[in-house]
C-alpha cells in the first residue's frame, strides 16, 4: 500500500512540476510577442484579423485585451468590436484530455461568452450573448439593422 501511495505522490509532484514549469515559461514571454503569436494563430485558423489595445497575459494561461476589433482577413471590414475580452485555458479540461478555451467579452452593455473545445480531429464552439447591440456588429449596422441581441 505504501508503494502505491508513493507512486501516486511522485506522479502528482511530476505533473505539478511540469505544470509550474510550463506556466513559468509562458509567463516569461513578453506580452507583445504573445499577442503577435495569437494574432497569427487566429488569422491562420479563423481567417479573420484580430487587433487589440492593452493586451496582457493572465495567470495561468490566458489573456485580457481592451478595444478588440475583429475584421475580415485582408480587408478593413470590421466584423465585430468588443470593449473588453478575456480568454483562458480551462485547466480542469486538460486533465480530462481535451483543451477548452473559455472566452468572456463585453461590448457596450452586452456580454458575450463562448467555450472553444479543441480535440485531435474536431473543434467545437458554444456561444451565448446577452444585450449585445447591433451597433457593435459593424456589418449589421452598415445595413441599417438596429436593436439588441440575446441568445445561444
Amino acid at each position: 500500500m505504501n508503494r502505491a501511495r508513493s507512486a501516486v505522490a511522485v506522479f502528482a509532484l511530476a505533473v505539478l512540476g511540469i505544470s509550474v514549469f510550463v506556466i513559468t515559461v509562458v509567463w516569461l514571454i513578453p506580452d507583445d510577442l504573445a499577442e503577435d503569436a495569437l494574432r497569427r494563430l487566429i488569422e491562420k485558423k479563423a481567417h479573420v484579423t484580430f487587433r487589440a489595445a492593452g493586451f496582457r497575459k493572465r495567470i495561468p494561461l490566458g489573456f485580457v485585451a481592451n478595444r478588440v476589433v475583429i475584421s475580415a482577413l485582408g480587408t478593413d471590414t470590421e466584423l465585430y468590436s468588443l470593449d473588453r475580452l478575456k480568454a483562458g485555458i480551462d485547466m480542469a479540461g486538460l486533465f480530462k484530455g481535451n483543451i477548452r478555451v473559455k472566452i468572456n467579452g463585453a461590448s457596450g452593455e452586452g456580454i458575450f461568452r463562448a467555450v472553444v473545445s479543441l480535440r485531435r480531429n474536431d473543434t467545437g464552439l458554444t456561444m451565448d450573448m446577452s444585450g449585445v447591440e447591433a451597433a457593435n456588429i459593424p456589418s449589421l449596422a452598415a445595413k441599417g439593422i438596429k436593436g439588441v441581441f440575446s441568445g445561444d
Side-chain angles (χ1 to χ4, degrees):
M1 190 68 167
N2 271 343
R3 264 191 148 152
R5 284 186 183 181
S6 295
V8 168
V10 167
F11 178 74
L13 286 174
V15 168
L16 179 64
I18 290 169
S19 298
V20 168
F21 175 75
V22 168
I23 291 169
T24 302
V25 167
V26 169
W27 193 250
L28 292 174
I29 296 171
D31 287 349
D32 56 345
L33 191 61
E35 180 183 7
D36 188 51
L38 178 66
R39 181 179 292 118
R40 284 185 278 127
L41 177 69
I42 290 172
E43 286 179 1
K44 180 179 177 185
K45 296 292 185 180
H47 306 290
V48 295
T49 302
F50 173 89
R51 291 186 318 244
F55 182 94
R56 61 187 188 281
K57 295 184 306 283
R58 272 184 36 196
I59 292 176
L61 298 172
F63 71 89
V64 175
N66 297 316
R67 295 182 304 283
V68 175
V69 177
I70 308 291
S71 304
L73 189 62
T75 70
D76 288 334
T77 305
E78 286 187 19
L79 301 175
Y80 199 74
S81 62
L82 294 160
D83 299 326
R84 184 170 178 85
L85 180 69
K86 292 193 293 187
I89 293 177
D90 178 19
M91 299 306 281
L94 291 176
F95 295 110
K96 295 177 185 174
N98 71 0
I99 298 172
R100 291 173 14 128
V101 179
K102 291 186 174 182
I103 303 167
N104 294 302
S107 182
E109 295 295 318
I111 58 170
F112 160 89
R113 287 182 296 272
V115 176
V116 179
S117 298
L118 306 170
R119 296 178 196 92
R120 185 177 297 242
N121 296 319
D122 187 31
T123 301
L125 172 66
T126 304
M127 180 173 55
D128 69 278
M129 62 178 94
S130 175
V132 175
E133 297 177 24
N136 291 322
I137 307 173
S139 56
L140 295 179
K143 296 193 183 324
I145 297 173
K146 297 178 182 176
V148 177
F149 298 100
S150 296
D152 299 333

